[in-house]
Amino acid sequence: DPAGRRLAVARAGRVEGFDLRQPGVPRLASSPDLSADPVESLAWSRDGRLLASGSFRRVRLRDPSTLAVVREVSEGLTGRILCVEFSADGTRLALGDGGSGLPGRVRLVDVADGRIFRSWKAHADSVFDLEYSRDGTRLLSAGGDALVKVWDPTRAEPVAVLEGHAAAVIAAAFNTNATQVVSGGIGRQLKVWGIAAREK
């Protein structure tokens, strides 16, 4: 969690929570639901009050204390949800939908009602990672098409496309003021980019 006190772990179709403050790291809770589909992604809200889990055509918002599902999103999803990310204010959830030959789509969900209110094709292959900038004005995506993209999420338009990886990019992150990006791929390289110049 953002405070570093709890740890959420996905094990096959179940989510488990652990207390990092206690000796031996005892388990706090285990999700009452056990899905046949593996949990592919997890993300904490910035205030630690919600935990999102993504699996095949399904995203669940959970109460971290019990791991019970408080809201589920499934309508409109088409593939594996390999990444989920809350906005800084906790009102939106970004998710990467696709895989198995499908293009990677970014979908934005209203956390209050579970409605997908914006969706667009972001990559030619799976979306492996997403991150909001701290001010919420930019969204970063890493794709199986070897591209890193910086988006304006209000218009679903790319602000920058960063090319230089030779294979799938599976992780990416902003620096504190979203002027730079670091990305890592299966080519076993880390690259640091300046967004304005679009240069490594």
Side-chain angles (χ1 to χ4, degrees):
D1 70 349
R5 296 191 293 262
R6 296 168 295 174
L7 178 68
V9 177
R11 298 189 181 188
R14 192 183 294 281
V15 178
E16 297 180 346
F18 296 88
D19 188 346
L20 299 178
R21 299 167 294 179
Q22 300 296 322
V25 192
R27 189 169 71 180
L28 289 170
S30 181
S31 59
D33 56 302
L34 179 60
S35 172
D37 297 315
V39 176
E40 305 271 8
S41 51
L42 292 171
W44 292 87
S45 62
R46 304 271 174 107
D47 60 8
R49 294 182 180 178
L50 282 175
L51 179 70
S53 64
S55 56
F56 182 65
R57 295 182 180 174
R58 191 180 311 277
V59 171
R60 289 172 167 152
L61 300 177
R62 301 174 182 274
D63 177 343
S65 61
T66 63
L67 296 177
V69 177
V70 296
R71 188 162 292 107
E72 185 170 283
V73 180
S74 58
E75 187 175 345
L77 302 182
T78 59
R80 296 162 60 207
I81 311 302
L82 298 177
C83 51
V84 285
E85 170 77 2
F86 283 95
S87 60
D89 63 6
T91 62
R92 289 157 290 158
L93 181 74
L95 56 94
D97 185 7
S100 302
L102 297 171
R105 301 188 67 85
V106 170
R107 304 190 194 276
L108 303 184
V109 174
D110 186 320
V111 171
D113 60 13
R115 176 181 55 91
I116 297 173
F117 66 90
R118 189 165 294 121
S119 177
W120 68 92
K121 179 183 173 183
H123 292 271
D125 204 334
S126 299
V127 181
F128 286 110
D129 200 10
L130 290 168
E131 182 177 89
Y132 272 104
S133 60
R134 290 189 177 186
D135 63 5
T137 63
R138 295 291 180 260
L139 181 65
L140 179 64
S141 66
D145 55 4
L147 297 176
V148 180
K149 297 184 180 182
V150 181
W151 300 92
D152 177 345
T154 61
R155 298 184 297 169
E157 293 180 357
V159 174
V161 178
L162 308 175
E163 302 180 59
H165 284 278
V169 185
I170 56 175
F174 285 116
N175 64 345
T176 54
N177 60 2
T179 58
Q180 292 182 322
V181 167
V182 62
S183 59
I186 63 173
R188 295 186 292 181
Q189 288 184 326
L190 290 174
K191 297 182 186 291
V192 179
W193 312 79
I195 295 174
R198 295 161 176 75
E199 293 180 350
K200 286 178 286 184

